[in-house]
Amino acid sequence: MNDILVHKTIDFFQQTFKSEPEKIVLSPGRINIIGEHIDYNDGFVLPAAIDKIICFAFEKNNSDRAKIVAIDLNDEFEVYINEDQNQTDNVWTNYLRGVLNQLKKNGYTVEGFNCVFSSNIPVGSGLSSSAALECGFLFGLNELFNLKIKPIDIALMGQKAEHWVGINCGIMDQFSSVMGLENKVIKIDCRTLEFEHHDANFSDYSLVLFDSNVKHSLFSSAYNTRREECDEGLSIISANFPEITSFRDCKEEQVLSLKDKMTANVFKRSLFVVKEIRRVTQACEALDVGDIVVLGQLMFETHEGLSVDYEVSCAELDFLVNTVKKEKSVIGSRLMGGGFGGCTINLIKKGQEDAVKNKLTGLYQDAFGIELKIYDVKIGNGTSLYIAK
Ligand code: GLA
């Protein structure tokens, strides 16, 4: 599938610019096994890059302008690369403008270039197509102009670009897009940015994504509000337990003891965060020893927490999780990513995938009148240069 995407991108580039691209870059979306909404709370997360990608083709154009074409959107824009970039109404361009600003801010100089890109990452499904866009674009410019930016800084600058667009996100998405490895999940310590790759061996179970096919507009405002609520929670915790400066060092009993000092929402958010940090450690240990039943149980618990305490679920996602929970062949399921729509991630007994998919498709259609989209997950490499076979 990705070969088709690469050829389409190269063909389009050749037709548009009448030349061969100098660099071709593949940049993936991501899944997350467990550890939601804790990348910005000093927690651990367990994501992986997937085989759904954006393909970029680049060349220098010996001018002071960048011309960038989004093949799938049938849209393009042009900028003077030495100028500061401003936000526009054309949102997809802002991610790339944000990256150009980051380069300038960090003292990197680029010259004029042409770029085209095309994607097979579903947009708005919680698979981080925006992180793939930021990181793939920056990775390509790094290669084209030999800027010597380190991979971790590509992720961090991509994250800053996302903040500039308006979502005060953590580091998980950009980190996984850059650092992914085939068949490995990445355990990221979001406090230190240290990371380990662990085998993505789910034994007798397959990873399947069910895409609710909805994206509620609440997402960005609610996301930013959750961050503020967590900041408030942590400041109350620190005021009462001065030795605690991070959710990482906080115990559940300590949050419970402060219930009367917090608003109901701040209390629920803080409790979720502390529990979720613990769950990731347990889940990673379970994965390492092949205890997929425990891993699945933790995923169900995460969903419950995200729905009831963190309040980032929605009727469609709750339906998808609660429906498969009744199936013996599904041992784990939860909403994945920021919430308010997008996908659930599921562990389904091998051989039973089709039965579950068919049943859920019908039930979801009956309940919401919406078509369920389904993706079988393959864990792939992080952002890299395409090498023709
Ligand atoms: C979005 C953000 C990430 C992370 C997740 C929730 O994907 O971009 O940084 O916070 O939501 O875990």
Side-chain angles (χ1 to χ4, degrees):
M1 187 167 73
N2 286 342
D3 280 346
I4 299 173
L5 184 73
V6 171
H7 289 128
K8 171 179 156 190
T9 309
I10 296 175
D11 285 350
F12 196 95
F13 188 98
Q14 290 166 335
Q15 282 165 29
T16 309
F17 297 113
K18 312 282 176 253
S19 57
E20 290 297 321
E22 290 171 58
K23 304 284 177 191
I24 296 161
V25 173
L26 311 183
S27 189
R30 63 105 188 88
I31 52 164
N32 185 25
I33 307 299
I34 197 162
E36 224 59 271
H37 283 279
I38 52 171
D39 57 347
Y40 54 83
N41 283 313
D42 280 352
F44 299 102
V45 290
L46 204 58
I50 55 174
D51 66 342
K52 297 193 185 304
I53 57 161
I54 304 179
C55 177
F56 298 82
F58 294 89
E59 71 171 352
K60 294 181 194 150
N61 66 12
N62 302 314
S63 78
D64 55 357
R65 269 165 293 166
K67 181 166 181 172
I68 300 161
V69 187
I71 301 175
D72 313 319
L73 301 174
N74 193 17
D75 197 7
E76 61 181 57
F77 74 110
E78 204 171 77
V79 292
Y80 287 98
I81 33 133
N82 294 320
E83 287 179 357
D84 287 337
Q85 306 297 320
N86 296 316
Q87 299 264 355
T88 67
D89 292 339
N90 202 1
V91 177
W92 72 267
T93 73
N94 291 342
Y95 296 101
L96 306 179
R97 293 173 199 273
V99 168
L100 292 174
N101 280 343
Q102 275 301 308
L103 283 171
K104 209 165 167 222
K105 231 179 164 167
N106 288 284
Y108 295 104
T109 314
V110 296
E111 291 153 30
F113 63 91
N114 298 325
C115 169
V116 310
F117 70 91
S118 181
S119 172
N120 57 29
I121 309 173
V123 175
S125 298
L127 299 179
S128 298
S129 55
S130 62
L133 188 58
E134 294 142 7
C135 295
F137 184 61
L138 183 49
F139 185 100
L141 295 180
N142 191 31
E143 293 289 331
L144 193 65
F145 296 105
N146 196 19
L147 302 175
K148 302 196 165 50
I149 308 175
K150 290 193 292 225
I152 183 65
D153 291 324
I154 292 186
L156 287 165
M157 288 162 75
Q159 179 195 22
K160 291 265 162 50
E162 184 94 31
H163 289 179
W164 185 74
V165 176
I167 303 219
N168 204 7
C169 65
I171 191 62
M172 174 170 75
D173 304 350
Q174 291 79 10
F175 200 109
S176 9
S177 184
V178 174
M179 304 293 191
L181 268 188
E182 204 174 339
N183 296 327
K184 302 277 181 189
V185 297
I186 321 167
K187 184 182 182 198
I188 310 170
D189 178 338
C190 299
R191 174 151 75 170
T192 61
L193 296 186
E194 285 164 0
F195 66 102
E196 298 163 351
H197 286 108
H198 291 248
D199 287 339
N201 181 358
F202 299 95
S203 176
D204 288 342
Y205 293 87
S206 303
L207 274 183
V208 178
L209 305 181
F210 292 125
D211 186 346
S212 64
N213 221 341
V214 294
K215 179 154 176 77
H216 295 291
S217 56
L218 230 65
F219 179 75
S220 4
S221 66
Y223 188 94
N224 293 340
T225 310
R226 291 300 174 281
R227 285 205 69 156
E228 288 160 20
E229 290 166 338
C230 290
D231 288 347
E232 192 182 328
L234 184 60
S235 72
I236 296 172
I237 294 166
S238 303
N240 287 274
F241 299 101
E243 71 281 12
I244 300 177
T245 52
S246 159
F247 275 114
R248 258 297 261 297
D249 305 320
C250 184
K251 299 194 172 58
E252 280 169 46
E253 306 84 78
Q254 291 171 312
V255 179
L256 290 169
S257 75
L258 296 172
K259 187 168 184 191
D260 296 342
K261 298 202 161 76
M262 295 177 176
T263 65
N265 279 350
V266 168
F267 173 71
K268 287 196 288 183
R269 313 302 189 236
S270 303
L271 196 58
F272 169 80
V273 168
V274 173
K275 286 183 177 175
E276 183 72 353
I277 292 175
R278 179 214 359 113
R279 277 193 286 264
V280 179
T281 305
Q282 292 174 330
C284 197
E285 284 167 10
L287 181 65
D288 285 345
V289 298
D291 197 342
I292 309 305
V293 175
V294 167
L295 173 62
Q297 187 54 42
L298 291 162
M299 289 167 67
F300 280 130
E301 285 174 26
T302 290
H303 184 80
E304 183 76 9
L306 287 168
S307 179
V308 176
D309 288 334
Y310 217 71
E311 294 182 282
V312 290
S313 189
C314 57
E316 294 87 348
L317 290 171
D318 284 344
F319 179 89
L320 292 177
V321 172
N322 293 334
T323 306
V324 297
K325 210 172 185 173
K326 295 179 201 135
E327 298 295 317
K328 246 181 98 195
S329 50
V330 183
I331 53 153
S333 176
R334 62 175 200 83
L335 80 82
M336 190 184 74
F340 300 103
C343 290
T344 63
I345 180 167
N346 303 270
L347 282 169
I348 308 181
K349 185 93 177 169
K350 285 189 177 141
Q352 302 295 312
E353 299 96 325
D354 284 347
V356 176
K357 289 174 185 175
N358 291 337
K359 190 167 174 186
L360 192 61
T361 300
L363 292 171
Y364 190 62
Q365 177 71 40
D366 290 347
F368 294 96
I370 301 171
E371 184 200 343
L372 184 69
K373 289 202 241 157
I374 300 171
Y375 316 119
D376 294 315
V377 175
K378 283 207 188 68
I379 296 184
N381 283 323
T383 307
S384 51
L385 281 179
Y386 172 76
I387 315 287
K389 286 167 206 138

